[in-house]
Amino acid sequence: QITLHIGFEAEYVDEYIDEYKDLLKSKKIDYLICGQHCFLENNEQIWYNSYHHNHEMLTKYIDALIQAIRSGLFIYIAHPDHFMNGYRVWDDFAIMQSRRLLEEASKYNIPLEINVAGLRFAEYKHRTNGKGMPVENLYPYDSFWEIASKYNIKGIIGIDAHRKNDFLKEKKKEAIEFA
């Protein structure tokens, strides 16, 4: 007998919280994973990674993840180090914000994900975004996880499949070695 569980990765967005609660209560889905990429402003998506080395955006990103953790709606946090694709500098501010997140994850016993998509994306050295700008992938980010290792946090390796071939090409062994 096979038991299926259905869930999905979602942003923590205040305007959607009641819908998330209704979905979980209705049993139409079994779980949510928090994957923070953007926030809504004037009904438009604003991507955190569009702002390089921006303290306000990094703070906003970490605040959203902390709200997601405290909400109790998400079973884990996907790619918590995703912010490095936008912030791009491992400085005292990034360390301080990372520690804020890690303290909450530890306090609430919420696992954090080492994201295999980040390892897959690293294979594409000449990727560009929709504006033709080069795309670098900076997660999983070693320094973030070195600090995370000092906290009582559970880790999850997530494939983050966007296509069926992502399961076939998965870098599970590399992710396990990274962990």
Side-chain angles (χ1 to χ4, degrees):
Q1 179 177 340
I2 297 174
T3 303
L4 294 176
H5 294 277
I6 305 216
F8 59 88
E9 183 177 319
E11 312 289 325
Y12 181 90
V13 178
D14 285 330
E15 293 92 328
Y16 298 160
I17 297 308
D18 287 337
E19 291 177 55
Y20 293 161
K21 287 178 181 177
D22 289 346
L23 273 172
L24 289 165
K25 188 187 290 185
S26 73
K27 304 291 184 194
K28 290 179 182 176
I29 63 167
D30 298 303
Y31 63 88
L32 289 169
I33 300 164
C34 181
Q36 207 65 24
H37 307 90
C38 61
F39 60 95
L40 293 179
E41 189 172 275
N42 299 323
N43 215 25
E44 287 189 44
Q45 289 179 318
I46 309 295
W47 299 89
Y48 296 104
N49 290 347
S50 299
Y51 298 87
H52 293 187
H53 201 230
N54 184 296
H55 286 201
E56 181 183 349
M57 284 301 133
L58 178 53
T59 301
K60 197 172 188 87
Y61 174 84
I62 297 297
D63 286 349
L65 290 181
I66 288 172
Q67 287 179 292
I69 289 169
R70 290 177 179 173
S71 77
L73 296 172
F74 300 90
I75 63 169
Y76 68 84
I77 303 297
H79 46 63
D81 47 347
H82 188 269
F83 69 87
M84 285 303 293
N85 276 2
Y87 194 72
R88 297 182 179 257
V89 179
W90 189 250
D91 59 9
D92 289 342
F93 193 76
I95 293 168
M96 177 188 71
Q97 293 296 330
S98 295
R99 288 186 188 283
R100 285 182 54 223
L101 172 60
L102 294 165
E103 287 167 13
E104 291 297 309
S106 178
K107 179 179 173 182
Y108 285 86
N109 198 30
I110 295 292
L112 302 180
E113 177 202 59
I114 295 171
N115 190 277
V116 175
L119 297 172
R120 280 194 316 272
F121 294 155
E123 293 177 356
Y124 308 113
K125 302 293 183 200
H126 303 291
R127 286 183 46 219
T128 57
N129 65 17
K131 296 177 183 176
M133 302 293 292
V135 176
E136 285 183 88
N137 191 69
L138 297 177
Y139 73 94
Y141 198 76
D142 292 351
S143 297
F144 175 88
W145 289 102
E146 285 174 20
I147 292 174
S149 73
K150 308 288 189 259
Y151 288 79
N152 184 27
I153 294 174
K154 292 177 186 168
I156 288 178
I157 294 173
I159 294 173
D160 196 352
H162 290 232
R163 299 173 308 274
K164 67 180 180 176
N165 286 347
D166 291 344
F167 288 104
L168 303 173
K169 295 179 181 178
E170 73 161 298
K171 296 183 147 262
K172 184 173 88 175
K173 183 178 178 191
E174 186 177 341
I176 291 169
E177 289 171 4
F178 180 89

